[in-house]
Amino acid sequence: MTEDELKKTWKKTITPFIVFVVLLIVSVLFNRLGSKKPTPQTVSLFASVYSLTFTIFYAIKIIKFRQTLKHLNEN
């Protein structure tokens, strides 16, 4: 892989990961500190689950990519 491809791949994995981590933090804070009415609580719960799912998904992608890079550097 060239240096440019590595930068693009990292950017494509790190950026969504950071966005979903921020969304997770905001939705959990909104759930704890926000309105106690059922509708906002439900929305923040769905946002928390959605962002947690994609955070884990991108974390796995980052780990696999790092392992691939480590394997390429050994060869």
Side-chain angles (χ1 to χ4, degrees):
M1 294 183 101
T2 65
E3 189 72 27
D4 191 41
E5 290 173 340
L6 288 173
K7 287 180 183 179
K8 285 181 182 179
T9 305
W10 273 116
K11 186 177 180 182
K12 286 180 6 184
T13 55
I14 294 293
T15 304
F17 179 75
I18 292 171
V19 168
F20 284 120
V21 167
V22 169
L23 181 63
L24 178 64
I25 292 169
V26 168
S27 62
V28 168
L29 286 175
F30 184 74
N31 192 354
R32 288 290 170 202
L33 304 174
S35 175
K36 299 301 176 193
K37 294 180 182 177
T39 302
Q41 288 287 319
T42 305
V43 170
S44 65
L45 174 70
F46 286 140
S48 298
V49 171
Y50 172 77
S51 59
L52 180 65
T53 303
F54 281 103
T55 301
I56 292 171
F57 173 73
Y58 279 106
I60 292 170
K61 282 182 79 169
I62 289 170
I63 291 169
K64 285 183 180 181
F65 184 66
R66 289 185 73 197
Q67 289 174 347
T68 303
L69 286 179
K70 188 182 288 186
H71 180 68
L72 289 174
N73 286 340
E74 289 175 357
N75 291 336

